[in-house]
């Protein structure tokens, strides 16, 4: 995976560009974010509910769409956390 998007501090724009170019897969990025969530959730209490299987399934679908040559949305492959008070 492209080191510039491997870190959690990468912008959504950089992550999406890496996925579109193929320098990183949506699944790789999602796994990195899930790993970060696993490492910090206990200390920070950041997530009430996580859906790792669903997130990986969606990431694989983005990767398959890219591989087929279909156009991707602007934020395809960018992990998103939804705040629980929305």
């Amino acid at each position: 995976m492209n080191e510039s998007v491997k870190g959690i501090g990468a912008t959504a724009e950089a992550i999406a560009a890496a996925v579109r170019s193929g320098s990183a897969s949506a699944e790789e990025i999602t796994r990195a974010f899930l790993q970060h969530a696993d490492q910090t959730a206990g200390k920070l209490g950041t997530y009430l509910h996580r859906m790792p299987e669903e997130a990986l399934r969606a990431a694989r679908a983005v990767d398959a769409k890219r591989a087929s040559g279909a156009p991707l949305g602007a934020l395809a492959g960018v992990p998103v956390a939804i705040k629980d008070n929305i």
Side-chain angles (χ1 to χ4, degrees):
M1 175 175 15
N2 181 330
E3 290 300 314
S4 67
V5 297
K6 186 176 183 181
I8 299 306
T11 66
E13 182 179 25
I15 292 168
V19 170
R20 281 191 306 273
S21 72
S23 64
S25 73
E27 184 174 357
E28 289 174 316
I29 291 166
T30 300
R31 286 187 184 282
F33 275 74
L34 289 170
Q35 180 180 12
H36 179 74
D38 288 343
Q39 293 170 347
T40 60
K43 293 181 246 176
L44 302 176
T46 49
Y47 301 99
L48 294 177
H49 181 72
R50 288 182 289 171
M51 300 170 60
E53 296 83 13
E54 292 85 347
L56 289 168
R57 189 176 313 120
R60 288 183 199 111
V62 169
D63 291 337
K65 189 172 181 180
R66 183 194 167 283
S68 76
L72 298 176
L75 295 177
V78 178
V80 176
I82 307 285
K83 185 75 177 137
D84 64 319
N85 64 354
I86 292 181

